Amino acid sequence: MKLMKYEFRSSARLFLSAYCIFAALLIVDRLSIFGLTVLDDTNLEFAKIFSAGSVFMLCFLTVLAIFALFCLPLLFSAIRFYRSTATDEGYLTFTLPVKTEQIIFSKLLVALIWEAATALLAIVLGVLFFMSFDVRSTLEVLQLFPESFFRNISEYPFWGACFAEFLIALPLCAAHGILQSYSAISIGQACGRHKLLASIGIYIGMQFAVSFLSQMLTVPVMFASFRSTDTSLRILQDTFFLSMALNLLLIAGLLVVQFLLCRYFLKKKLNLS
C-alpha cells in the first residue's frame, strides 16, 4: 500500500495537470459556442465568420483531446516507469526493502486505476461536449441507451456473449499495453547508452510481434470459415467470437511473459549508470 501511495503522489502531478488542461479546453469551447449564438442576433458579419471559424477549430481540438485522453495513461505510466527505474531515481526505487515484483505490481495497479479514471473523464467530457450543441437530445440519448442496450443483449445472445468478452478484454488489454511498455523499458535500460531510444525501438518491435501472433491465430479461423459451405450469419458470428477468444488467450499469455521479462531484467540486468 505504501508503494501505491507513493506512486499515486508521484504520478498525480502529470495526470491532474492534463485533466485540468482538457477541462479548460472544454470550457473555452463551450464559451465560444455561447458567443457564436449571441453574435447570431447581431449584424456583425465579420465577427460571425471569425467566431464560427474559432468554434470549428476549438471543436476539432476538443474531439482530438477526448481521443488523446485514452492514450494518456499508457504514455504517462511509461514515462513514470522510465524515470523511476532507468534514471537516477532508480537508486531510490531499488533500495526500498521490497521485492521487484511488488514494485512492478504497484506501478501496474496505479496505472490501471489512472487509466480507468481517464476513460471515465473522457466519457464525461464527450457527453458535455455534445450537450454544448443540444442538451435535450443528448439527455434523451442517455436515457434511452441503457434500456435499448440491455434489450438487445437479452434478445440476441450473441451480443451478450460479445459484451462479456469485451468486459474481460478491457482490463486484460489495458494491463497488456502497460506491461508491454514496462518490459520494453526494462530491456532497454540494460542496453547501456541510449536507453530511451532502445526502449522505444523494443516497444515498436514488440508491437509488430504481437500483431503478427494475433494474425497467425485469427487467419486460420477466418480461412476455415471462408471454406465452410455454411454461409449463414451464425458461422460468421462463431468465427468472430472464436477470434476474440483466441486473442484474449494470447493477451493473457503475453501478460505472463511480459511480467517475467520485466522482473528478470530489473532484478538481474539492472543498469543505472
Side-chain angles (χ1 to χ4, degrees):
M1 291 300 294
K2 288 184 178 180
L3 281 174
M4 291 183 64
K5 184 178 179 181
Y6 174 76
E7 190 65 23
F8 267 120
R9 286 180 178 177
S10 301
S11 57
R13 290 189 293 266
L14 283 172
F15 282 96
L16 294 180
S17 299
Y19 292 168
C20 290
I21 292 172
F22 288 125
L25 180 61
L26 184 67
I27 292 172
V28 173
D29 188 23
R30 183 67 187 92
L31 291 174
S32 66
I33 294 173
F34 176 76
L36 183 60
T37 57
V38 172
L39 286 173
D40 281 340
D41 298 328
T42 67
N43 295 322
L44 302 175
E45 296 300 328
F46 177 77
K48 290 181 183 178
I49 296 173
F50 180 78
S51 181
S54 301
V55 168
F56 174 79
M57 288 302 299
L58 284 170
C59 289
F60 180 72
L61 290 175
T62 302
V63 172
L64 287 181
I66 291 171
F67 281 107
L69 269 174
F70 289 100
C71 304
L72 201 65
L74 178 60
L75 177 62
F76 280 3
S77 62
I79 292 172
R80 176 65 197 147
F81 188 84
Y82 179 82
R83 288 179 178 174
S84 60
T85 59
T87 64
D88 291 341
E89 191 178 335
Y91 288 106
L92 174 61
T93 301
F94 293 104
T95 52
L96 296 172
V98 293
K99 296 180 180 179
T100 304
E101 48 265 32
Q102 290 178 308
I103 295 174
I104 300 170
F105 272 125
S106 64
K107 292 181 179 297
L108 175 61
L109 288 175
V110 170
L112 286 173
I113 292 171
W114 280 119
E115 186 148 349
T118 305
L120 180 62
L121 177 66
I123 293 171
V124 171
L125 290 180
V127 171
L128 292 176
F129 174 72
F130 285 109
M131 287 180 70
S132 299
F133 298 96
D134 194 334
V135 176
R136 181 179 297 178
S137 297
T138 305
L139 291 177
E140 288 177 354
V141 170
L142 291 176
Q143 290 174 353
L144 293 174
F145 176 76
E147 180 184 351
S148 61
F149 176 77
F150 288 109
R151 185 176 65 250
N152 285 329
I153 285 181
S154 62
E155 292 179 358
Y156 302 100
F158 170 72
W159 293 115
C162 288
F163 180 65
E165 279 193 339
F166 176 74
L167 290 180
I168 297 172
L170 273 179
L172 279 180
C173 291
H176 167 258
I178 295 167
L179 263 182
Q180 183 171 293
S181 66
Y182 286 2
S183 58
I185 292 170
S186 301
I187 299 171
Q189 61 82 32
C191 297
R193 295 182 178 182
H194 309 296
K195 297 178 182 179
L196 182 58
L197 289 176
S199 299
I200 294 173
I202 292 168
Y203 180 81
I204 294 173
M206 286 181 171
Q207 282 287 88
F208 278 110
V210 171
S211 178
F212 176 76
L213 289 174
S214 177
Q215 293 296 324
M216 290 293 291
L217 283 176
T218 56
V219 167
V221 177
M222 298 295 292
F223 184 71
S225 67
F226 290 147
R227 293 190 62 183
S228 175
T229 56
D230 187 358
T231 58
S232 64
L233 180 62
R234 180 61 182 272
I235 190 65
L236 296 177
Q237 292 177 344
D238 291 343
T239 301
F240 178 76
F241 186 82
L242 180 58
S243 298
M244 283 187 65
L246 289 174
N247 276 285
L248 287 179
L249 289 175
L250 173 64
I251 291 172
L254 288 173
L255 278 175
V256 177
V257 173
Q258 288 163 354
F259 174 78
L260 293 176
L261 281 173
C262 192
R263 186 183 66 172
Y264 173 77
F265 277 90
L266 292 181
K267 196 171 184 178
K268 303 294 185 181
K269 303 290 184 179
L270 187 62
N271 177 22
L272 298 175
S273 58

